[in-house]
Structure formats: structure tokens, C-alpha cells
Amino acid sequence: VSKSSVSTHAQSVLEAAQGRVEHLATALLGEPNRRLSNARTLRFGTNGKLCIQLSGSKEGLWHDFSSGKGGNLIQLIQQEKGLGFKEAVDYCDWLLKQAPMQHQGTTQRRTPDLSEAQERASRLVTVQAFYEKSQPAEDTPAATYLRNERHILGDLPPDVRYLAKGTTFTYNGQTKPLLHDCLASFARDAAGSICAVQITKLTPEGTRAVNKDGYKLNKLIYGNAKGAFVTVQQDATNTGQVFIAEGLETALSIKEAGVDGTIVASLGVHNIKNYKGPESTVTLCADNDGPGAATNKLVKHARDTLIWEGKHVIITRPQIAGQDFNDVLKEQGAQGVRGYVDGAGKSRGWGR
């Protein structure tokens, strides 16, 4: 990949980070110092030595008063993770895929009358409008994408839908059209209410949309994603078991294996711990991001949280680093995925 392509990708990633700086910062640095933070800036450390701008022309820029260093989010990742430029760009891109889309510039326009509850309600209105304008995925570019690129051959669940290019929506007070055909994955809370939607941008031919340098366009999440999951399969036989995958395509791959029980997608590793379903046994169908990946700690934290809530929790993941269960499906078929599911809880792979 040329330096110019990496630089262009970096600019695209930084633009996509607008409105999601707080999520990225806390995922990277942990909880901020709330006492010293405000609507415009986040402060980290006992004395708030590291400051990150949340809004305005300097949104996403940071400064460490103890060292005098500063820069953009990619440079912060380089400093905190010890990564090279390209690796930091890729890491920021990955973090964005876990981050829900928020009202950009909300902190600038918020007034005392606009409570958090009102803001959440506004997001839900947008998500509900998306649902009403969507249609079943079958016989659309969304189904073509899942069939051809992801090898998902079974029936598609009702909350996996299609939004046509040009569909208008209102978000952050602005009405705009979708610029691509989209796979729309709707997530519901424990009460069954639609709370969020993940948008996957597609071409009219049913392939992932890319930018001019060939990078796939980021998936976006609208609404209130915390505690909301896309249900791929209901527990029709009352097994009392749920399989939780990070991504929709991974969850659909588990469904292809013909397992019994509930199957859901968390739409991000950070959300797994928030599952509130009634099942007593939980199998976390994790991605294999490698032994040193930061996501491993998040998966284990989710496991510990669910165990504390009284669940029996198992973790399974593909043996090959860099793979998820959709990769297994494409390489080994449904039986390959089933082998991991049937072997869950036994000694297989690493990181149990």
C-alpha cells in the first residue's frame, strides 16, 4: 500500500471519528476524570494532565500537559499503543467499528432543556424511521452481499433488512439521503424495543462499498446501542442457551451451523457484557484477534460480568489468528463452524 493511500485512509478515518471522540478516547485511555472534564473537553489522570477536545474546530485533538506532546487521535494511539503510523490508522479504524454514531456537535448545542432522556428519545425516533423505511433483505443487494461475500445461505432474520440508496433520514437536526444501498441490522433491548441500527454500505451489485483507495467504508451505528442486540435466531426449543457473536455476519455464521438456542450479535465487543437475556448458559463466539489483542481483555471482562450475574459462560474462537467464525464458514463450511460450537468449553485454541 502506498504512503499516499495510507495518508488518504488516515484522513478518512479521522473524519469518521467526528462525533465519536469520547468513545474512542475512553476505549483507549479508560474512564476520564469526570470532575475535571466538561462538555467541551475530556481530562484524563488524577490531575487531568491529558486533555482531549470533544467539539469545535479542534475536535479530536489532544495535549499532554506533563510532556508537552499532542496531536490527533492517530498520534495518540501511536503513543499509547507503541504502534507505527499505518498500524495506528488500522487500530483507529477498528475502534470506530465498535463505536456508535452520536450527534456530532451535541455538546455545543445542548441546552438545559435538552436532557439525556430527550436526546436518547431523539435517536430512537431516527432508528424507528429507518425501520419503517426499510424492507426485508431478500431479493435486495443486502441479501446478495450476505449470500455471495459471506456465504450465508439460510433464511435471513426479520431484523436484518435493506435500506435503498436515497432513503432520507433526519439526524442531528439535519435531513439527508443515504448515499449507498445498505444492509440494515436492527438491534433490540431486553424488552424487545428497537434501539439501534447498524448500517453496512453496499454497491448496487451487493458488494461492500469502498473508497477510492479500495478501503471498505466504515459501518455506522445509529441510536442507543448499549444493551441492544440483533437477534439472529430465537431459542425455539427452550435450551436455555445463547450464543453471542460480535458481528452480524459472525452471528449468521453460527446460525448456518444449525445450532439450537438463541443467537445474537452484539455489534461490538464492548457491548457483550450488557446482555440481559434469560438464558442460563452463554457461549461467547469471539473473534481471534491474536494473543496480544486488546479485545481479549474485553471478552474476558464480559465473561466475568456475566458469570457474576449468575450465567454459565463459555468462550470459543477460531484457532487461526485474524479469523472470525465467518472466515471459518467460508473456508470450512457449516460443519467447520459446528465443530467449534460442539467443542466449546473444551480445550481448543487459547485464551480460555
Side-chain angles (χ1 to χ4, degrees):
V1 180
S2 68
K3 290 183 179 180
S4 61
S5 294
V6 173
S7 179
T8 301
H9 183 42
Q11 186 61 39
S12 175
V13 168
L14 289 174
E15 289 174 358
Q18 299 299 298
R20 289 179 281 182
V21 172
E22 182 171 359
H23 177 97
L24 296 175
T26 54
L28 185 63
L29 301 171
E31 276 299 305
N33 186 325
R34 296 294 181 186
R35 181 176 61 85
L36 298 178
S37 300
N38 56 43
R40 297 180 301 278
T41 61
L42 283 183
R43 295 280 189 140
F44 293 86
T46 304
N47 298 316
K49 65 177 184 178
L50 195 150
C51 174
I52 300 180
Q53 299 293 324
L54 292 178
S55 61
S57 61
K58 295 184 178 180
E59 181 179 0
L61 297 183
W62 59 278
H63 183 79
D64 189 331
F65 291 95
S66 65
S67 67
K69 295 180 179 180
N72 60 33
L73 290 169
I74 292 172
Q75 291 164 326
L76 181 61
I77 291 171
Q78 286 184 276
Q79 173 177 284
E80 295 298 316
K81 296 296 183 181
L83 299 175
F85 180 69
K86 181 181 182 302
E87 290 73 21
V89 172
D90 291 340
Y91 187 84
C92 189
D93 193 13
W94 175 84
L95 282 178
L96 280 172
K97 294 174 182 176
Q98 320 301 317
M101 189 69 175
Q102 299 169 349
H103 289 287
Q104 297 185 14
T106 296
T107 51
Q108 288 182 299
R109 288 185 290 274
R110 181 177 294 183
T111 66
D113 294 330
L114 183 59
S115 66
E116 180 65 22
Q118 287 174 311
E119 188 174 333
R120 286 177 59 87
S122 175
R123 296 175 189 168
L124 292 177
V125 168
T126 298
V127 174
Q128 187 61 43
F130 266 134
Y131 189 85
E132 292 171 358
K133 293 180 179 182
S134 68
Q135 64 186 74
E138 290 292 359
D139 301 318
T140 71
T144 301
Y145 159 70
L146 292 172
R147 306 299 190 206
N148 294 349
E149 283 200 20
R150 297 297 190 159
H151 295 197
I152 304 300
L153 305 179
D155 293 339
L156 299 178
D159 283 338
V160 175
R161 302 175 67 82
Y162 167 72
L163 284 164
K165 177 181 178 180
T167 299
T168 57
F169 67 103
T170 301
Y171 209 70
N172 192 25
Q174 296 183 346
T175 299
K176 57 185 71 174
L178 290 174
L179 301 180
H180 299 83
D181 293 300
C182 296
L183 168 66
S185 307
F186 290 90
R188 299 175 184 264
D189 62 15
S193 300
I194 294 174
C195 295
V197 59
Q198 182 185 71
I199 300 295
T200 303
K201 299 174 184 179
L202 306 172
T203 67
E205 295 75 31
T207 61
R208 279 289 296 273
V210 299
N211 64 19
K212 63 180 181 180
D213 294 311
Y215 290 98
K216 293 177 181 177
L217 297 178
N218 289 318
K219 296 180 180 181
L220 299 177
I221 296 179
Y222 292 92
N224 306 314
K226 183 177 180 180
F229 294 76
V230 181
T231 299
V232 167
Q233 177 176 289
Q234 301 279 3
D235 186 4
T237 56
N238 298 316
T239 65
Q241 179 157 338
V242 60
F243 298 85
I244 304 178
E246 296 175 33
L248 172 74
E249 295 89 341
T250 308
L252 288 170
S253 300
I254 302 299
K255 180 176 181 287
E256 287 289 302
V259 302
D260 294 324
T262 300
I263 305 173
V264 299
S266 65
L267 302 184
V269 66
H270 294 80
N271 193 38
I272 294 174
K273 68 179 185 294
N274 299 314
Y275 186 73
K276 302 299 181 185
E279 298 85 2
S280 58
T281 300
V282 179
T283 299
L284 303 183
C285 302
D287 300 346
N288 186 340
D289 295 322
T295 52
N296 298 332
K297 292 182 180 179
L298 295 172
V299 172
K300 290 179 180 179
H301 177 60
R303 176 198 62 189
D304 294 344
T305 299
L306 293 168
I307 289 174
W308 185 83
E309 293 175 352
K311 309 288 189 182
H312 174 63
V313 183
I314 302 163
I315 300 175
T316 184
R317 53 167 58 85
Q319 287 182 308
I320 300 175
Q323 288 197 341
D324 59 27
F325 283 108
N326 186 245
D327 295 310
V328 175
L329 176 69
K330 290 190 288 186
E331 290 185 4
Q332 303 178 31
Q335 286 304 114
V337 178
R338 186 62 187 251
Y340 280 97
V341 173
D342 290 344
K346 300 178 182 178
S347 179
R348 187 167 192 168
W350 52 268
R352 299 290 177 269

